Structures are given as C-alpha cells and as structure tokens.
Amino acid sequence: MRAPIRRAATAVAVLALLLTGCSGGGDDGRDPDGTIRLRFQSLAWQKESVDANKQLVKEWNAAHPDVQVDYVQGSWDSVHDQLLTSFEGGEAPDVIHDASDDLADFAYGGYLADLSPLLPDRLKADIPEQSWRTTTFGEGVHGVPFLQEPRVLIANTKLLKASGARMPTPERPWSWEEFRRVTKELTGKGRYGIAWPLKEPVSVTLNLGLSGGGRLFHRDDEDKAVLRFEPGDGVVTGTIHDQVNTDGSAARSALGMGGSDALPGFFGGKYAMLPLGFSYRQQVIQQAPEGFGWTVLPMPAGAGGAVQGVSPQTLSVAEDSPHKKEAVAFIDFLLRPPNMVRLARGDWMLPTGAEALADPSLRTAEHGWAVGTALAKGLRPAPAPSVRGYPEWKDKVATPALQEYYSGAIDADELSERLVEDGNRVLARYQR
C-alpha cells in the first residue's frame, strides 16, 4: 500500500521539494570537482523503510565516490502533482520512486526514460514478465517494478476457530460462495463477520475481480480499450453487495473507511475479519492489544483462480536526467537480491525479484510472511492503469457508482450501465 493513512511529508516539505531544483552542481548534474550527483526521490514513509533506503544510499555513496546520490523525501499524498510540476519545470529527480498505476501519463508524455537499452540482464531476468508488463507503455519500459502487495484477510483467530469454519490455505482458499457463508457464521450480536474498508473501491474491485473471472477492461479489434461488464465481473461486486445489504454480515459503516480506520473495530471484536493490503500487518503488530490473536489468510478464489491484480512500486529515471546510465546502475544496486529483501521487509511487502522472494526470511510462518510469498505466483498486472483515460473513469464514473452499489442505493443493472456506458464515453475521448 502507498500509506495506510497517506501520512508523509508535510506541506512545508512538499514545498521544499518544489523549490529545491537540482541540488549541487550545474546543468550537467556534476559538482565543480566533476563528481556526478544524482537525486533519488523516495516515497518510503515507515521508519523501517526510510532507514533501509537511507542506509542503502549511504552504502552506495561509500562505494562510488565519483557518483554520489542525494536522498530526497517525497510523499505519496502529493507525488503525482509534485512530479508533474518538477517535470514541466525541468527539475525532476534523476531516480523516481512511484507506483505503476501512476506512470502512464508520465510515460506517454515523454517525461520518463525508456530503460530497455539500459537495464542489466541480471535485473531483467530476475523480475518476472508479468511484473514488467506493469511498467511497459507502448514499446518502452518506463520503470522497474520492485515491491508488490497482495490483498489478504486478517482474521481474529479466536472467533474463526469458534465458528468451526474450514481454515483456508493458499493451496486451497475459500471460494467466494464459501467465504460468504463463513462471514454469515461469524456474524453475531454486536459483531460482523467482515468489514470492507472501501473508501477507494475501484482498485480493490478490479484487482480482486480477476479471481472471479472478471476484467471489465478489454481490447477491441482496433486494440482500443473498451469496457464490458461480464458475469465474472459480478462475482466480487455481488458478494460485497450481498454481504452488506442481504446477509448483514458486512458492516455498512465501514464502506467509507480506509484500512487503518477499521483496525480499532477489529481489535475490539466488532469485525471478525478485514481484507487488507499485506503491509497492514505491521500496523496490526504495533496496535493490537496484548494477547490479541490474529492470522493471515488468502483472499477467496473463483473461476479465475487464486489470482489478483497488483500495481507494484516502481523506480524510474527522468528523461531529462543527464546521467541515465549511472541512475540505472544505482537502481540495479538498490535491487540486488539482498537489498531488495531489505526494502521488502522495511515496507512489509513482497519483492518482485525471484531470488529475493526465495529468501528464507520472507517465508516464515511468523506474521503471515509465508502466506504472502505463496500468493506471489498468482499476482497479475492490475487490469486498467495503463489505459488512457483510466484516472478520469475511476474518479468520475467508477468510484461513485461502486460506492452507491455497495451501499444498496443502486442495483447491479444500473452499476453495469454506469460503469460501461458512461465509462466508454470517457475512454473514447482519449482514443480518438
């Protein structure tokens, strides 16, 4: 996840980023003594992650006196607008930390370098093809995907065992039908079987929808993106809707929450389970009352299998950087397998690299690490972020439509009509 509460740099820090310009040296990115100076803007926000990133920068600088890297703290809250401003002002960082679902406009706009001819063979081979697809726009690769986050169920162990429900495993997850039955069984006086924190419902719906066989976004004969609402698209949406409005097993009040907002209710026994990003485990460890038992379970699977979409965190290079080769060398250093493990543990996420993912420290039963790594093989590119017009469709069409559907204000037919008919009108404007 980007940040559970989107906490990051203050407005003053963001303003400082905009005013910084190129630190040290002239327009060629060199200090007066000829030292190449790169700026690395990181969006790490958890202490463990910030510490890991800063330590790796320190190690690089110690080993590369002729190519020095300055660490710049960015913010998930404001990164898109801040980067756009810096690109247009010619002051972009050399190495850019972002997420794949934020790259399309920058890539198509010519702001990000095509890394294809610069990437070392080791790095290209270590990261699987499905991850590279998340950062490929047109013919170019405009970022290196390095951290990813499956969605999992965080469950109250005591309540789950008392229900007598079968314990799902990555090899044998619940079906969506079984999951719905279990949430009904877990529901009791003053307690809901599940809470869906859906303040931002679109990515959750699309990414989990893959498991039901849905996709929503398709390509026509002219390779243009089109929206179709097919039976598989109704599996996850219908389950959530029915849990809230038919079964009463999902808390209606949680629909407008973020993941962090729902944790107090989970710890207090109001919700038996929460579907959250994998990195929320750190907050659970930090905030859970003493003696509170919890476990990590895989999300349900449907006709599409135990798969879900992800938008990995990425490292890109600005097109205007005068030292792209050195910037990619620094990225390669950051993402050496041992270093990728350090970054993954700092963010409580999964590395994309096969060698890092095999590290024993990421495969322990403690805190659900083994469940997460077992789910990695089912992670796929999120269905839509590379589509031109997706941000407008998400904000103006899909978010309000899904919010109304999940709350019971509209039915499935109206949901389908709005997502598809209104959505295709949006996409058409971008594909003329």
Side-chain angles (χ1 to χ4, degrees):
M1 77 186 154
R2 296 191 175 183
I5 321 177
R6 298 280 184 170
R7 47 179 131 146
T10 63
V12 173
V14 173
L15 181 60
L17 281 172
L18 297 176
L19 298 177
T20 298
C22 297
S23 66
D27 292 340
D28 65 350
R30 292 180 184 268
D31 286 345
D33 64 359
T35 301
I36 292 173
R37 189 160 295 277
L38 303 174
R39 288 194 303 142
F40 164 42
Q41 179 169 299
S42 170
L43 301 180
W45 65 275
Q46 300 183 89
K47 184 180 184 304
E48 292 175 71
S49 182
V50 172
D51 290 347
N53 277 271
K54 287 185 175 180
Q55 179 60 32
L56 286 169
V57 169
K58 183 177 179 180
E59 292 172 15
W60 165 274
N61 286 338
H64 300 83
D66 297 333
V67 182
Q68 293 290 285
V69 174
D70 294 331
Y71 180 95
V72 180
Q73 185 63 61
S75 164
W76 285 113
D77 279 345
S78 57
V79 65
H80 185 88
D81 291 342
Q82 179 260 319
L83 283 175
L84 185 60
T85 300
S86 66
F87 284 135
E88 292 180 344
E91 298 180 345
D94 299 276
V95 179
I96 298 163
H97 180 192
D98 204 348
S100 63
D101 60 357
D102 193 41
L103 298 186
D105 288 345
F106 297 142
Y108 288 121
Y111 294 123
L112 299 178
D114 176 11
L115 305 181
S116 303
L118 300 172
L119 291 170
D121 291 339
R122 178 207 68 80
L123 190 58
K124 287 190 285 189
D126 189 47
I127 296 174
E129 176 59 29
Q130 67 256 26
S131 294
W132 286 116
R133 290 205 306 270
T134 67
T135 58
T136 300
F137 303 93
E139 299 299 318
V141 175
H142 297 279
V144 181
F146 72 106
L147 292 179
Q148 57 190 346
E149 180 174 30
R151 192 163 291 269
V152 294
L153 289 167
I154 308 291
N156 182 313
T157 306
K158 180 179 179 181
L159 294 176
L160 187 61
K161 287 182 177 179
S163 74
R166 178 180 72 83
M167 189 73 72
T169 65
E171 297 73 29
R172 192 171 167 235
W174 287 325
S175 67
W176 284 98
E177 295 83 359
E178 187 178 7
F179 169 62
R180 184 178 168 188
R181 291 197 300 271
V182 169
T183 57
K184 285 196 283 188
E185 292 167 1
L186 286 168
T187 300
K189 186 175 181 181
R191 182 179 71 244
Y192 295 95
I194 189 88
W196 285 94
L198 291 175
K199 185 177 182 179
E200 298 182 6
V202 179
S203 63
V204 176
T205 301
L206 289 177
N207 290 338
L208 293 182
L210 293 179
S211 74
R215 189 165 186 85
L216 264 178
F217 285 82
H218 303 267
R219 293 282 175 178
D220 64 14
D221 295 338
E222 298 178 352
D223 200 36
K224 291 184 178 180
V226 294
L227 287 150
R228 294 198 300 269
F229 195 95
E230 297 178 342
D233 295 302
V235 173
V236 173
T237 53
T239 298
I240 297 172
H241 173 275
D242 290 346
Q243 286 175 322
V244 174
N245 299 284
T246 303
D247 305 337
S249 60
R252 184 183 305 274
S253 59
L255 292 174
M257 294 181 180
S260 299
D261 302 328
L263 286 176
F266 176 63
F267 298 141
K270 185 176 180 180
Y271 319 126
M273 293 189 294
L274 291 176
L276 296 172
F278 195 52
S279 59
Y280 274 91
R281 295 169 302 134
Q282 186 191 38
Q283 285 191 73
V284 174
I285 292 168
Q286 292 174 339
Q287 299 175 22
E290 186 176 353
F292 182 83
W294 58 281
T295 190
V296 177
L297 307 174
M299 292 300 298
V307 299
Q308 53 180 286
V310 290
S311 297
Q313 292 188 18
T314 57
L315 294 171
S316 301
V317 176
E319 176 61 35
D320 286 346
S321 173
H323 300 291
K324 297 181 181 65
K325 181 179 177 181
E326 291 80 4
V328 171
F330 172 66
I331 290 174
D332 183 46
F333 166 78
L334 282 181
L335 303 186
R336 290 175 184 172
N339 296 343
M340 197 184 281
V341 171
R342 291 162 67 181
L343 293 173
R345 291 191 65 84
D347 254 327
W348 289 74
M349 296 175 72
L350 298 179
T352 58
E355 192 171 338
L357 193 64
D359 190 278
S361 70
L362 301 182
R363 293 181 172 269
T364 64
E366 187 180 21
H367 307 322
W369 278 107
V371 173
T373 53
L375 297 176
K377 63 181 179 293
L379 300 182
R380 301 289 182 266
S386 63
V387 173
R388 302 300 298 272
Y390 168 75
E392 182 179 343
W393 173 81
K394 181 184 73 170
D395 293 341
K396 295 183 179 180
V397 177
T399 294
L402 287 167
Q403 287 173 337
E404 290 178 45
Y405 176 64
Y406 290 144
S407 70
I410 63 174
D411 62 17
D413 289 338
E414 186 169 349
L415 173 69
S416 173
E417 180 179 342
R418 288 170 60 175
L419 292 178
V420 173
E421 294 186 14
D422 294 351
N424 280 327
R425 282 194 288 270
V426 171
L427 299 188
R429 294 204 308 273
Y430 289 82
Q431 302 181 100
R432 289 171 183 164

